[in-house]
Amino acid sequence: MLVLSVMLPGIIAALWVSWQTWSDEQEATVRHMRDSTRALSMVVDKELARRAGIARVLSLSQMLDSAPQIAPEDLAMLELQSRRAMQGLSGWVELTAPDRTLFSTRLAAGRAPEAPLNAPATAAQNTQNAPAAPITPLTPVSPTPPSTAASAPAVAARPPGLPNIAASRPVLAREAVPLLEQAVIGDLGPDPATGQLRAQIVQPIERGGQVWLNMSITVLPQELQQIIDGQRLPADWTATIMDGHGTIVARHPGGISYAGRLPSDDLRRLMATRDEARFESVNLDGQPVVGYFSKSPQGWTVVTAVPRDLGLGGLGGRTALQPIAIGALLLVLVGMFGALWISRRISGPIHALNEIANDLRAGEPVRAPRTGMLECDEVALALEDASAAIRQGRSELEERVNEAIDRTREAEQLSSRAQRIAALGRLTGGVAHDFNNLLGVISNSAHLIQRSPHAESLAMPLGAIMRSVDVGSRLTQHLLRVAGRQSVHPQVIDLRSTLGEMNELLATVLGKRMQLTTTMAPDLPSVRVDPSELELALINIALNARDATSGMGEITLEAGRAAPGDTQDLAPGEYVAISVTDRGPGIPDDILSRVFEPFFTTKQVGKGTGLGLSQVMGFCVQAGGTARIASQPGAGTTVTLLLPSQTSAPARERPAQPREAAPPNQLAGTRVLLVEDNEELNRVTASLLRSFSCQVLSAKDADEALQLFGSGAAVDVVLSDVVMPGSMDGQALARELRRRRAGLPIVLISGFSEALTAESSFIVLRKPASPAQILQALQRAMGLPTGM
């Protein structure tokens, strides 16, 4: 009877545990579906946002600032940048005007669309060879937010014939696209040209208050299908990605064969009223399922579902649990008679165990009391041990969850920073390349003027032009360093001498209405930095100080040894502190913590880029130090550069740059093949070479150069740009020419540092190069004496 009396509460406990286990499994399955759905929705949203970001960056290109008149070379460069931005991604980028497609990366590079949009086939224009035609501005219309795209029209009070911006095709400029601040995610639909299902991210391009063009990025169902397949879901699970209209884009199982179909009506009605919810329905395969859906911020929906009947471990465990419950009840009835006989003897220990079980369920610490019954005491001790283990496991789980959250945040910050740096690299690299071409035109033109009979009367303005070219060249080198395409050149410098030389430059930057006071410690040590970077950092700080004080007041520059309290978080050693202080209105605390972030600025649009103080911080960190800022509202702002000192290394004065002398000209009659895609730079450089008595053959790209070379034209030496559009760049062209004629003299010219060292077998000049440098390089490539 004692054994029976002990079994009875065990059976009851087993029933309770079974029911509780079934309930927990049911809740766990729903939580698993919910978490999987939300995670997949975040992945889909990130992929869409990534392409929307590409469309936004491309739409802000300076090459589109001339709309509606866009030069063909600008379109070609923008198309090249679009192809580079879409590397590693499926889909394509299209730039459309009201009556034609300006380019599409779906086609081969350099190939124009066969016919413009909404126009007969005979009206097609080649955007590579013909000037851009005027473009009619777009009519602004208010868009519908993506989250309501499935239940509301995309445009309020849309005129007849106006397309839906959420539709899955590019919106024609003539059809009144909405003026949007960000890209709009379209729905799935067939491509007008091929009938292939795809969605589009449409970014209207606005210039001068008018929308002229549409930049669209295509999203293919195959890309989203790869995301679902990468989740490795169980075979009996269903996962679906739907667009803003509720159309299926990708699905597991079945793949993209389900693309274009609609879910069940009851699920569509529920999705129209909720952003996420649990549901029960019948899937497209006719199977009853229980699922969960979640709508992303971009308006697309992810649905995850499992079959209703999964056995005891899932939502269908109720049927499998019934026999266990009935058998347990029968055992309870049989043992009830024995329980009545010993109930008085075991009621106390049982009540004690019940209290312990309640404490265990509530998550409270369990203490095992002595009940006077050996069996109950052993159970109480086991429950006490289980309670301690559960509490320890819960503490460890919370700790791991917190660590996972911290790692996720760090990964998000690194990813966001990498994207900003990549966008900065593409933009600044393109700007520096174009600016170098302009400097080359100015420099070569100035040298041509110097060779004229009236050059002496123009000596002063020509000298100013050449000095400006040198300053512009240094600025482009800095842009390339910011873009990660140019290396710095640190050297040990004497700060007292260097800062003294910069006084006049800083005074010019600040203006005549501001007073600059410089104070330097007598024992100021040397530092090892790039002098140009230091000069640029102080110029950026001075410009901010001038803007903060409205161009009036006093600026103080102090240099000395850093106090120990300022370098606690830096590597051990001595540091130099260079501080610039203004008496402006100061910076609020909520803005002060963000001033060193790239692209962050409080200035009006067009008044600042947000790169000034970020360059200061980058320069200091690269030199092994850091930058700090302190400000008090109404009392001014102080920016301090902390740089490691070089007390053990001798200070070196920067040598004066000797004036470059032109080498003797030995190129008379030399036949030069000039390859340069910039028309102005090509024409001026050709004139410069002709002034050296050279015969010049000009080509705008590698294809034209190979055609001239293969036509039998006599060529003695080749002068080619490195970065240019077409099927190959300058380096590939040089290798091909050397393959056709071994030992052919070739000189390359580029503004990118990696191009300056990539080909050791060729002479490479840094753009912009002076005529003396070009002359010397050509003579050196041909094996002629340079006299230098």
Side-chain angles (χ1 to χ4, degrees), residues 154-241:
V155 179
R158 180 160 52 93
L162 180 64
N164 187 345
I165 193 63
S168 56
R169 69 179 181 85
V171 180
L172 297 183
R174 182 171 297 175
E175 297 176 346
V177 232
L179 291 176
L180 302 174
E181 294 183 358
Q182 60 183 4
V184 174
I185 310 299
D187 297 332
L188 188 70
D191 185 86
T194 64
Q196 180 184 7
L197 288 177
R198 86 284 183 272
Q200 285 191 319
I201 300 174
V202 181
Q203 173 66 57
I205 297 173
E206 179 185 1
R207 295 294 188 273
Q210 298 288 343
V211 176
W212 299 96
L213 304 170
N214 283 329
M215 180 73 67
S216 61
I217 294 183
T218 300
V219 181
L220 299 178
Q222 291 88 336
E223 298 180 87
L224 301 179
Q225 184 64 42
Q226 291 176 359
I227 295 176
I228 294 182
D229 295 340
Q231 306 304 311
R232 298 182 179 178
L233 298 173
D236 53 355
W237 280 47
T238 302
T240 308
I241 299 176

Side-chain angles (χ1 to χ4, degrees), residues 602-619:
T602 58
K603 300 178 182 178
Q604 298 179 357
V605 177
K607 298 294 184 62
T609 63
L611 294 175
L613 290 181
S614 67
Q615 181 273 336
V616 174
M617 176 60 77
F619 158 70

Side-chain angles (χ1 to χ4, degrees), residues 84 675 701-703 720-736 748 755 759:
R84 291 176 178 173
V675 188
D701 54 28
D703 295 334
S720 173
D721 190 12
V722 173
V723 178
M724 55 185 173
S727 59
M728 60 179 66
D729 59 10
Q731 296 177 5
L733 172 63
R735 290 191 291 268
E736 176 63 20
L748 300 178
E759 293 289 347

Side-chain angles (χ1 to χ4, degrees), residues 408-421:
T408 301
R409 289 175 178 171
E410 292 176 0
E412 291 176 351
Q413 292 175 355
L414 291 175
S415 176
S416 176
R417 181 179 179 184
Q419 291 175 0
R420 291 197 300 268
I421 292 175

Side-chain angles (χ1 to χ4, degrees), residues 364-397:
E364 299 178 358
V366 173
R367 299 293 181 185
R370 297 186 62 85
T371 63
M373 185 178 293
L374 180 60
E375 292 83 354
C376 290
D377 290 344
E378 292 178 352
V379 173
L381 289 174
L383 292 176
E384 182 178 356
D385 293 340
S387 173
I390 290 173
R391 290 176 61 83
Q392 181 179 359
R394 181 180 301 171
S395 176
E396 294 177 354
L397 179 61

Side-chain angles (χ1 to χ4, degrees), residues 433-445:
H433 176 263
D434 293 342
F435 193 51
N436 271 331
N437 287 339
L438 295 177
L439 291 177
V441 173
I442 296 172
S443 175
N444 292 342
S445 299

Side-chain angles (χ1 to χ4, degrees), residues 462-621:
L462 286 175
I465 290 174
M466 298 310 299
R467 288 192 295 273
S468 300
V469 169
D470 292 337
V471 174
S473 179
R474 290 197 298 270
L475 290 178
T476 56
Q477 298 308 312
H478 170 65
L479 283 176
L480 292 173
R481 284 193 290 272
V482 173
R485 302 185 179 187
Q486 187 73 19
S487 58
V488 296
H489 303 284
Q491 55 182 286
V492 177
I493 62 173
D494 180 8
L495 272 181
R496 292 182 61 86
S497 173
T498 301
L499 294 179
E501 293 175 359
M502 292 183 186
N503 261 340
E504 182 178 354
L505 175 63
L506 294 178
T508 303
V509 171
L510 292 173
K512 297 182 179 179
R513 296 191 297 173
M514 298 195 68
Q515 180 181 357
L516 174 63
T517 303
T518 302
T519 303
M520 290 181 285
D523 59 343
L524 187 63
S526 302
V527 294
R528 188 174 187 273
V529 296
D530 188 328
S532 299
E533 289 290 302
L534 174 61
E535 178 181 287
L536 184 59
L538 293 177
I539 289 175
N540 286 330
I541 298 174
L543 288 175
N544 284 347
R546 184 192 65 185
D547 295 341
T549 57
S550 301
M552 300 178 62
E554 180 182 359
I555 302 297
T556 302
L557 189 151
E558 299 178 345
R561 295 182 182 270
D566 296 334
T567 61
Q568 293 179 352
D569 56 344
L570 298 176
E574 295 185 358
Y575 289 83
V576 175
I578 304 175
S579 300
V580 180
T581 304
D582 64 61
R583 302 294 184 267
I587 304 175
D589 293 338
D590 57 336
I591 297 177
L592 191 65
S593 60
R594 300 186 59 192
V595 296
F596 289 117
E597 294 181 8
F599 301 110
F600 177 78
T601 179
T602 58
K603 300 178 182 178
Q604 298 179 357
V605 177
K607 298 294 184 62
T609 63
L611 294 175
L613 290 181
S614 67
Q615 181 273 336
V616 174
M617 176 60 77
F619 158 70
C620 293
V621 171

